[in-house]
Amino acid sequence: MLRHALLAVFLILFMACSGPTVQRGTDDPDIDQTAMSTRLDRADLEHAMDKWLTTFDASGFVHNLPSGNRTISVLEIKNETSEHIGSALRTLITSVETKLVNGGVFDVVANDDVLKSAIVQERLRGDMVDPDTMAALGKELGVNYFVHGRVGDTTEKLQDARRVQYTLFLKVTEVATRRTVFQEQIDITKQISS
Amino acid sequence: MHRVLLLAVLCSAACSTYEERIEDIHHAYYNGTPEQAVLLLEESVDDSFFDVDEDFAVLRMELSSALMAAGRHEEAGRLLAELYDELEVLDYSTDTVEDIMAFALASELQDYHASPPEKLLVNTRGMMAFLAADDLDGATVEAKRAGTTLTQADLDDQDRYDNLFVSALAGFCMDQAGRRQEADDFWNELDQNPLQPPPPGQADPEHGTILVLVELGKAPIRRELAVAIWADGVRHELRVPVLQDRDDVFTVASVVLDDVPQGRVPVALDLGAQLERRYDQELPGLLAAAATQAVARGVVSEVVSNSVSDKGDASDDIFAMAAAALTSWTLAEAQQADTRCWNLLPQSFGAMRLDVPAGQHRVSVELSGAKGHSLRFELDVRPGGTHTVYVASDVYGGFAGHKPLSEEDLTGHPAAIRALQILSSASLVNEIVD
């Protein structure tokens, strides 16, 4: 009887003491690979970056880039999805900037400086990447090319599963001609089910 | 030893009702200290998370309301966005008897399940929170989600009509973000749009927009009530959640812009009326679930009673009889009605759009009803900018506790037919057990 009582006490103490488990990515890299939600995580952003860089670096635009006039800036990636991925897209903008800076091919004007521009500050409503705005920004900041894009989604739900298919379009617009000189489509699918 | 554990489990099963569990939060919120309500709710949510508590979702819905009232709009928006992803939906008005019985008889305590309009309300308040936080990107995401919910959720035509405010607000978010086509998609279905922009060509680029969002009164809440149903001379008592109105202190909100009266803020969504209509639809399902649990309770009590009488061991009799009595009492307590619902909601939402020249403006929102209260805001309106004034009037209304409820007799009520069929099956089940 006493043995049973002690066992019960130990069991209760064990249950009371077992708290949440915290893990570190450097100790267990697998935790970075597990998808936790239908939003975009680091693995998705790395996939998007890899896909974009591979085609961008190999593109005719980069290979035939004229000397001089190589100033570029990442303007905006519009979130047109039904997911709160704004912070992930801001991270993606910074990642693209980092790659462009480290690539050494372009002179990069930081996105932060673009957003501080009086032209952007005055245009609180509407499309920041319409041709007139880009032309005005290019003139003010001395930018020859703008990287910009949008991400849309198709969301479907069936019984206990919900799937979000993201389509990310990233393009480069030449300010002087307003032509799209490079464009890439990146597809990412996330699904959550119970 | 087993019996001690059985007693412990049975004792723990008997718990307080939802309204009792959040009474302190009601006091803090409605007596003008929403920050205190936030603290209490954060504590409850933390406890609930680590205990995998069945109140986790609904407590976070309450927390979003308290955060909004406390002016922490961005946090409220993020929380509501998470809730949209996580909320499970159960529709007592349309789900089959089998679904409802399975839910009522589940062996584990059930997580909170929202109704389809409640999930849509998460979107609506998400839009309001992000607009109040000056986060137009977040608001447009919620607007797009609202569009999905409106088309995909199991909403009947009346639900959609009741929620025209959602379409008006979603269109407003899209329009302010420069997504006019998507705005028109929302607005085209409206006969009257309280958030209509100036006609094309008349919009002044040097103007900005002030959106006044006011919550008035307190939405009815679910409380537990014992209802009686008589059949063949036998009285059956069921515990069901009933919808109870609450006292509305402020019933009218008026706006004054730069000392010029702008009139009353029109009611855009009568949430109280919507909740009452939904409740009437759900009542047959709620009674069926309560009857199902009552039948199950009767069967278990019968089995325990038989087991006690079969023992024939005098030394165990006192303990066994106490366990049987406790079983009966505990199962009765465990059959408590599920009164969980989003409590910190208003009776109605009002919305007013003001297009004003860029520059400094003073906006005051005058609340009237049983009491009067005035709130003043100073705004620096930028050209093309959107500025949201959000007022949760019920925070200033006070709270002295809930009104008492008295037993109701639902004999002959059309909603009781399905429950009576289930209760009448109890006698058949008892015969099988015997």
Side-chain angles (χ1 to χ4, degrees):
Chain A
M1 186 68 181
L2 182 63
R3 201 169 51 188
H4 286 164
L6 282 172
L7 191 65
V9 169
F10 280 126
L11 188 66
I12 290 165
L13 282 175
F14 174 75
M15 289 168 72
C17 295
S18 58
T21 309
V22 181
Q23 289 169 283
R24 199 186 300 278
T26 46
D27 297 336
D28 181 5
D30 285 348
I31 62 174
D32 277 329
Q33 295 304 316
T34 308
M36 304 287 282
S37 75
T38 52
R39 299 197 190 104
L40 297 180
D41 58 22
R42 195 196 296 165
D44 299 317
L45 297 182
E46 282 172 359
H47 162 73
M49 277 301 302
D50 288 347
K51 179 96 193 295
W52 189 72
L53 275 178
T54 306
T55 47
F56 182 71
D57 288 346
S59 68
F61 162 63
V62 172
H63 282 280
N64 301 320
L65 202 61
S67 56
N69 298 336
R70 290 184 170 199
T71 308
I72 198 167
S73 181
V74 188
L75 190 57
E76 181 187 39
I77 303 173
K78 268 190 174 183
N79 176 17
E80 295 182 357
T81 74
S82 54
E83 298 290 315
H84 288 276
I85 53 170
S87 65
L89 294 180
R90 282 189 287 279
T91 304
L92 184 60
I93 286 174
T94 312
S95 297
V96 171
E97 269 184 356
T98 306
K99 296 287 184 185
L100 288 170
V101 168
N102 293 341
V105 177
F106 293 94
D107 295 322
V108 180
V109 173
N111 174 264
D112 288 347
D113 293 335
V114 177
L115 297 181
K116 281 179 200 157
S117 144
I119 294 167
V120 171
Q121 288 296 309
E122 283 171 10
R123 288 189 63 86
L124 290 168
R125 186 194 288 189
D127 192 352
M128 196 167 75
V129 296
D130 75 290
D132 289 342
T133 306
M134 268 200 281
L137 277 170
K139 193 175 172 185
E140 182 187 321
L141 301 166
V143 174
N144 307 116
Y145 303 98
F146 279 114
V147 181
H148 58 99
R150 54 174 283 267
V151 54
D153 70 339
T154 306
T155 302
E156 289 180 291
K157 191 172 180 184
L158 185 65
Q159 292 174 333
D160 290 335
R162 182 164 162 272
R163 184 184 67 191
V164 183
Q165 294 171 312
Y166 294 97
T167 308
L168 171 63
F169 296 97
L170 275 178
K171 59 184 177 181
V172 179
T173 298
E174 188 177 37
V175 175
T177 61
R178 302 187 179 190
R179 280 187 312 125
T180 300
V181 291
F182 174 78
Q183 182 159 336
E184 176 64 10
Q185 175 180 331
I186 300 154
D187 298 320
I188 299 167
T189 299
K190 300 294 285 287
Q191 179 169 306
I192 191 163
S193 52
S194 55
Chain B
M1 185 66 191
H2 293 126
R3 288 164 181 172
V4 173
L5 282 175
L6 175 69
L7 280 173
V9 169
L10 291 174
C11 287
S12 67
C15 54
S16 56
T17 63
Y18 180 66
E19 67 185 70
E20 288 165 351
R21 293 199 288 281
I22 67 160
E23 193 171 354
D24 288 352
I25 293 159
H26 274 220
H27 278 282
Y29 183 87
Y30 292 119
N31 285 317
T33 53
E35 275 291 353
Q36 178 64 20
V38 168
L39 288 175
L40 291 168
L41 278 160
E42 283 176 336
E43 213 170 271
S44 301
V45 166
D46 285 348
D47 291 346
S48 182
F49 176 75
F50 290 115
D51 294 345
V52 196
D53 194 292
E54 68 277 14
D55 288 348
F56 185 58
V58 70
L59 284 172
R60 295 205 301 158
M61 289 155 84
E62 310 287 12
L63 177 58
S64 73
S65 293
L67 285 168
M68 282 287 282
R72 293 161 65 175
H73 304 132
E74 193 182 342
E75 290 169 80
R78 283 203 302 267
L79 182 56
L80 288 159
E82 285 174 24
L83 278 164
Y84 176 84
D85 289 336
E86 296 164 10
L87 263 187
E88 297 288 329
V89 172
L90 178 77
D91 195 346
Y92 273 99
S93 67
T94 58
D95 281 358
T96 62
V97 177
E98 288 77 15
D99 286 341
I100 292 169
M101 285 174 74
F103 182 75
L105 289 173
S107 57
E108 295 174 0
L109 291 171
Q110 289 288 323
D111 288 339
Y112 180 70
H113 283 56
S115 65
E118 208 168 32
K119 184 152 186 178
L120 190 57
L121 198 58
V122 169
N123 281 139
T124 312
R125 291 185 63 87
M127 282 188 275
M128 294 167 72
F130 283 114
L131 283 170
D134 203 17
D135 180 352
L136 201 50
D137 286 342
T140 54
V141 170
E142 287 302 316
K144 189 160 180 189
R145 287 178 165 201
T148 306
T149 313
L150 278 168
T151 52
Q152 291 186 351
D154 301 323
L155 296 168
D156 59 29
D157 288 344
Q158 187 63 43
D159 279 335
R160 287 199 173 78
Y161 179 78
D162 286 347
N163 284 293
L164 291 180
F165 174 56
V166 183
S167 297
L169 196 61
F172 177 85
C173 296
M174 292 300 188
D175 183 51
Q176 295 298 303
R179 293 160 69 174
R180 188 55 193 261
Q181 181 57 52
E182 289 167 273
D184 285 341
D185 289 344
F186 281 110
W187 286 344
N188 284 342
E189 63 184 87
L190 303 176
D191 294 332
Q192 284 188 324
N193 181 3
L195 304 176
Q196 186 76 40
Q202 292 184 28
D204 189 332
E206 294 306 312
H207 278 219
T209 304
I210 298 173
L211 175 66
V212 181
L213 296 171
V214 183
E215 298 180 358
L216 285 170
K218 302 183 188 78
I221 57 167
R222 294 190 176 209
R223 297 188 64 201
E224 185 179 77
L225 179 67
V227 299
I229 303 176
W230 287 85
D232 300 327
V234 179
R235 181 182 181 279
H236 300 279
E237 187 179 295
L238 299 177
R239 294 185 187 193
V240 291
V242 293
L243 209 58
Q244 188 186 32
D245 287 333
R246 293 188 283 176
D247 293 329
D248 292 334
V249 176
F250 303 112
T251 50
V252 174
S254 305
V255 171
V256 178
L257 172 69
D258 299 326
D259 303 322
V260 179
Q262 304 294 311
R264 285 184 175 192
V265 179
V267 171
L269 171 60
D270 187 345
L271 183 63
Q274 184 185 341
L275 290 172
E276 280 171 20
R277 189 183 62 77
R278 285 291 305 184
Y279 177 79
D280 289 342
Q281 288 178 343
E282 289 181 2
L283 187 56
L286 293 168
L287 284 168
T292 305
Q293 288 179 328
V295 169
R297 185 184 63 189
V299 171
V300 173
S301 296
E302 190 76 20
V303 169
V304 171
S305 171
N306 291 346
S307 170
V308 170
S309 61
D310 288 348
K311 282 278 178 193
D313 182 346
S315 62
D316 281 348
D317 272 1
I318 293 174
F319 180 84
M321 287 177 70
L326 189 57
T327 303
S328 176
W329 171 78
T330 305
L331 286 171
E333 287 296 308
Q335 193 252 312
Q336 283 175 334
D338 185 357
T339 55
R340 291 173 298 172
C341 65
W342 197 347
N343 276 215
L344 304 181
L345 282 178
Q347 173 75 14
S348 65
F349 292 93
M352 180 183 273
R353 175 184 181 139
L354 302 164
D355 287 287
V356 297
Q360 299 286 330
H361 293 280
R362 295 183 309 281
V363 175
S364 67
V365 178
E366 312 286 344
L367 303 170
S368 56
K371 286 183 191 174
H373 193 79
S374 182
L375 296 142
R376 295 176 198 287
F377 304 87
E378 300 275 338
L379 302 175
D380 183 10
V381 177
R382 294 164 293 176
T386 308
H387 304 266
T388 301
V389 169
Y390 166 80
V391 173
S393 72
D394 43 337
V395 165
Y396 311 100
F399 176 73
H402 297 297
K403 289 182 283 192
L405 290 166
S406 53
E407 186 183 285
E408 276 189 42
D409 190 336
L410 289 184
T411 309
H413 193 290
I417 293 170
R418 201 194 276 174
L420 267 178
Q421 289 168 344
I422 294 168
L423 288 168
S424 64
S425 70
S427 56
L428 180 65
V429 174
N430 280 340
E431 281 172 24
I432 296 167
V433 170
D434 287 340

